[in-house]
Amino acid sequence: MKGILSAAFAAALAVAPARAALGDVVSSFRALSSELRGLARSDTVLFALCYTSPNVVYRFHPVTGSVYGWWNTPRPTKNRGLAFSEGGRVWVGCFENDFVYDCAGATGSVRASWSAGHDPYGIAPHCTGDGGRGTTALFVADSQPNYIWRHNISTGSILSSFRRGAHWDIAYDHRNRIIWVPTEYGDTIFGVSTSGSVASSFKGPADSPTGAAYHGQYLFIGCANGYVYRVHCPGPPSATPASLGKVKALYR
C-alpha cells in the first residue's frame, strides 16, 4: 500500500505546473538604443523611451522586438519614466520641468499634463489588471528626495507617499501589489510594498536596469547594454491542485 501511495504522490507532482523562479529570463531583444529611460506595456505593445536626441518613444512587439512605429516625446530632451494606462494612454516624465505628460499611445499627441512637483524619474500605473486596467493613480519616483509619490491621474495632486525613491524607471506588479525598483547603479531589482518596505529582490539580467514594466506575470527590464529582457515574476501561489488534494485524502 505504501508503494502505491508513493507512486500516486509522484504522479501528482509530475502533472502539477512547475513555478519558474523570480528573475528567470524568458526572452530578450536588442532595442534601437542603449539609452533606455523607461518602459510601458499595453496588452499588445511594449513602449520604450530612448534617450536619443531628440528623445523618442518606440513601439515594439513585446516578445520579438519588431518595431511598430515611434514618436517624439512632448519635450525634446531630459525625459525619463514611462507608464501605460487603459484607454491607450502613455505617460511620459520630463525632469527638466518636472511635468508628466498624458500622450496618445499610437501617435504621441499630448492630451494633458501636470506638474509632479519633483523629478519624475520613474512612473508606473496603480492598476488592478494587466494593460493598465483599473488605473486610479500613478506612482512617480524621484531620487532626490528619495520618495515615491502616488499622484491623482487627472490632476497630479499627491494622494500619498513613502520614503523609497528611484533614479530610474519603476514598474507596478498588481498581482503581488509590489513596486519593482531598480537600483541606481548595479543590477539588483527590489520589490517594495506600497508603504515602502522591501518585500523581495532579485539579481537583474544585466547591469544598470533603467527601464521597467509589468504584464502577465512578467517583468520587462531595459538595461544599459541596449537589451530588453522579459523575466519571470510569479503571482501569488495558486490553490492546491485537485490531484494533490486527492492524494492527501488517501492518507486519511
Side-chain angles (χ1 to χ4, degrees):
M1 181 63 179
K2 182 178 179 181
I4 295 174
L5 292 177
S6 297
F9 186 69
L13 289 180
V15 298
R19 289 184 63 80
L22 173 64
D24 283 353
V25 176
V26 178
S27 62
S28 65
F29 67 85
R30 188 169 183 83
L32 298 178
S33 170
S34 61
E35 298 290 331
L36 298 174
R37 292 295 183 270
L39 295 180
R41 179 73 159 82
S42 73
D43 286 333
T44 57
V45 176
L46 179 72
F47 298 87
L49 171 57
C50 296
Y51 209 65
T52 51
S53 183
N55 296 175
V56 170
V57 173
Y58 285 100
R59 300 167 60 244
F60 291 107
H61 185 286
V63 176
T64 67
S66 297
V67 180
Y68 293 137
W70 59 274
W71 39 266
N72 290 326
T73 54
R75 301 275 293 188
T77 60
K78 299 184 178 180
N79 296 279
R80 190 182 296 181
L82 209 62
F84 182 88
S85 65
E86 59 188 341
R89 305 166 77 177
V90 174
W91 301 85
V92 182
C94 179
F95 63 91
E96 183 176 43
N97 62 358
D98 294 352
F99 265 67
V100 174
Y101 294 88
D102 175 6
C103 302
T107 64
S109 60
V110 178
R111 298 177 175 184
S113 64
W114 40 260
S115 174
H118 59 87
D119 290 333
Y121 284 156
I123 309 176
H126 190 188
C127 57
T128 57
D130 291 329
R133 290 180 181 82
T135 299
T136 55
L138 293 178
F139 292 109
V140 185
D142 195 356
S143 61
Q144 293 182 352
N146 197 40
Y147 272 84
I148 293 178
W149 289 266
R150 184 169 164 268
H151 289 266
N152 180 289
I153 194 171
S154 299
T155 66
S157 61
I158 295 174
L159 303 174
S160 59
S161 65
F162 59 86
R163 186 181 292 277
R164 175 69 66 171
H167 190 70
W168 304 113
D169 197 26
I170 59 175
Y172 180 64
D173 171 355
H174 64 86
R175 287 181 174 84
N176 294 295
R177 298 181 183 178
I178 284 176
I179 303 169
W180 293 102
V181 182
T183 51
E184 184 170 348
Y185 299 104
D187 59 6
T188 302
I189 298 175
F190 290 96
V192 302
S193 71
T194 53
S195 62
S197 59
V198 176
S200 182
S201 67
F202 66 94
K203 182 181 174 65
D207 284 341
S208 299
T210 55
Y214 174 85
H215 188 281
Q217 300 194 57
Y218 295 101
L219 273 175
F220 293 79
I221 302 171
C223 295
N225 63 0
Y227 277 81
V228 174
Y229 298 88
R230 183 165 62 112
V231 306
H232 276 295
C233 186
S238 59
T240 303
S243 55
L244 285 178
K246 292 177 181 177
V247 171
K248 289 180 180 178
L250 291 175
Y251 285 91
R252 295 195 181 102

